[in-house]
Amino acid sequence: MIERYVWDLQEVDETQVAVVGGKGAHLGGLSRIEGIRVPGGFCVTTDAFRRIMAEAPSIDDRLDQLSRLNPDDREAIRTLSAQIRRTIEGIAIPGDLAAAITRALAQLGEQAAYAVRSSATAEDLPTASFAGQQDTYLNVVGRTAILQHVSRCWASLFTERAVTYRQRNGIDHRTVHMAVVVQQMVFPHAAGILFTADPVTGNRKVATVDAGFGLGEALVSGLVNPDVFKVRHGEVVAKAIAVKQRAVHALPTGGTQEVAIDSQRQEQPALTDAQVVRLVQLGRRIEAHFGRPQDIEWCLVDDGFQIVQSRPITTLFPIPETGDQENHVYVSVGHGQMMTDPMKPLGLSVWRLTAMVPMHEAGGRLFVDVTRRLASPASRAGLLDVMGRGDPLIRDALETVLDRDDFVPSLPDAGPGGPPTGASAPIETDPAIVTELIERSQVSIAALERDIRTKTGPALFDFLLEAFEEHKRVLSDPLNLQAIMAGMEATWWLNDKLQEWLGEKNAADTLTLSAPDNVTSEMGLALLDVADAIRPQSEVVAFLQGVGYVEDTAFLDELAKLAGGTGARDAIEAYLDRYGMRCVGEIDITRPRWRERPTTLVPVILDNVRNFEPGAAERRFEEGRQKAQKKEQDVLSRLRALPDGEQKADESKRMIDRVRTFIGYREYPKYGIVSRYFVYKQALLEEAERLVQANVLPEKEDIFYLTFQELHDVVRSNEVDDQLIQQRKDAFRSYHALTPPRVLTSDGEAVTGAYRRDDVPAGALIGLPVSAGTIEGRARVILDMAEADLEAGDILVTTFTDPSWSPLFVGIAGLVTEVGGLMTHGAVIAREYGLPTVVGVEQATRLIRDGQRIRVHGTDGYVEILP
């Protein structure tokens, strides 16, 4: 194929990113939209860039060195990327390539002024905008200057910020190439940026226009504050006119300069309202063409708008697809399940197939549509009550939406769907009920393990669909729901009544210490027993301290070869037999389980070996039980001293017995779900192994990027769409950069609730109190359980804690999380262990630095950062 070095902008469109880069492709696409004016110009293609790179073989070695650097090694990246840039800028542009650029210039006017703009192939993409990562040069005049600036654009692929951005996003430097856009300069009266969706709230129906005088460079560089206009339904609904003291103008001889704006003009709007509305109409046309919200750079020249760039807004959280034009309100499933990370497609589809309510997917997360339940006054109160008890921020966000009278329609009665709101028939306070429910679950799981062994191929998928129905039947067993609600309602009753009668906040927190039958707290204590088996074996401890170098598959075998290693291995094996189906993010079936990756537990085992004495598990449980007993006696004696005290004490005693009977069972249904998930997963991975053997898939884990139904189709046909799997991998990687909102509307607005409180000290971080007590200590900000390194007295600060984090709870003094509610798993276990805990602290892992001293007010729900 003959290499072509220059294309006119009119010749390209958005399908040609590989040839002209993201910016060039988008400009070409823009120039084809009716009514959109784009300054004329041409693209120097990626073929030209590859030709230049081939002229300097030394760059190859430096790229190898660069790929091996840690993204945090700023100094090494700065040095190496500067060397690469100098090398590229020093390469003379070959004669035929320079001639092609000169010919294109001659057609447009060689002495005119141009903008010379970088256009990388990994730029302005739906999943990564790369905004500001490469360079643009304005008002470049003359052939020699333009050629020089083309070289500078090629070199800007290796600016320190661009290199670091790629390394952090897992993008190979060799896969990205640089084209250059050379475009006629426009000298605008005003310029700025138009977002066709509100970049702060995500609302797709609100456009935001930033505007200033002169070239847009003044706004982009932060030299001036812009005028800001918000437009909804063709009307300016809000505006803030800034004092604009400076502007950037082009110089006649080339280049730009800052100029002062005449004092009379400084407070004048850069655009009239009519111009703003007209600009947004153009933006909506561009958005429709590209099929997603856009970040658009515009210039106003002689009352006409010219568009100089358009890229997707990559920071917006996607909206669930409904296929209708109705208003919808969605609540995040991940915030209730303590797992706000993105899930892979197989994980999403299996959770949906086994869930009790319909769910919608967006951005790799799941949401429940609560619109109909909000619309009916009868069901609204119950929904808000349950949401508020679980997470006050969700309740506040829902009330914020309801306050907009026109968004949620009013219905006469409740619609279907949604979790139970707490109205359940009462059951006896009988421990035998919990025993029976656990036995039912164990029998059902044993039958699943037995029956699945003989199933392969399409028959396995038919069997699994039946298994999913059994899964839902066990979860929806009325007795199961009654037992869960009995424990939760008794907790609420005790907290409400004991505050009313005794003025004591969160009294149930102490009354639930060491409650029986809590499989999650038992899991944390059981790892203390594993540490007891390992502590005396110095050779085993030394081996575990260096275990990062051992493959998971070989870990337990290697352990058995050491002195005392057989006993250590048996202790870990026994633990994995009972809890090996658990892991961080366990609602996603694709996440590696402890049984598959046992080395995950090693840091926690080593912490337990170092920080505890033998027999700690039994002592901890007994201490908790005695504290709860003592608290019960204290509360009842104080109640008896009140008016109607005997009646109050009797009612409270009944509720204390009830909460201790049922609150531990709150954790069991999740354990049952995850136990089933591991059985499903093992069967599906065996099927994946057969697909690998048949050369249908390159690796087993590729099935994680297919939905359950798609995988079923692959097993039937022995054919797979490799491109689909790659697209899903790219999308999944991009979802990590998105923060899922607690509440999301069909307009795309992420509604963030607020704590309506004025009873906390200035500067404190507000959250939800879920486990009473106050503790001071060193904050350990830990985002990955496998990197835990805790000392006695540390306070764990993390984004969320699902049950798999519980083994860490035995070794800490307090807990702070960004996500959580009164009855989520982390809160239940924190109360079991008596840890002062505040959850739902927005951005806790960013606002609290690792190693800082903090004070956690678990009774009042706030955190102080200490000097």
Side-chain angles (χ1 to χ4, degrees), residues 779-816:
R780 292 311 317 271
V781 180
I782 296 173
L783 303 180
D784 181 350
M785 184 177 147
E787 292 172 6
D789 180 15
L790 296 163
E791 298 288 346
D794 283 348
I795 297 168
L796 174 62
V797 180
T798 190
T799 44
F800 58 80
T801 57
D802 61 8
S804 70
W805 285 77
S806 300
L808 288 184
F809 286 18
V810 297
I812 58 176
L815 174 67
V816 178

Side-chain angles (χ1 to χ4, degrees), residues 736-787:
H736 282 279
L738 299 174
T739 301
R742 283 175 165 81
V743 172
L744 179 68
T745 73
S746 48
D747 285 353
E749 184 176 0
V751 189
T752 53
Y755 293 106
R756 312 286 175 183
R757 291 171 54 188
D758 52 13
D759 58 344
V760 297
L765 308 180
I766 302 175
L768 175 66
V770 296
S771 184
T774 301
I775 193 76
E776 277 185 29
R778 178 179 69 155
R780 292 311 317 271
V781 180
I782 296 173
L783 303 180
D784 181 350
M785 184 177 147
E787 292 172 6

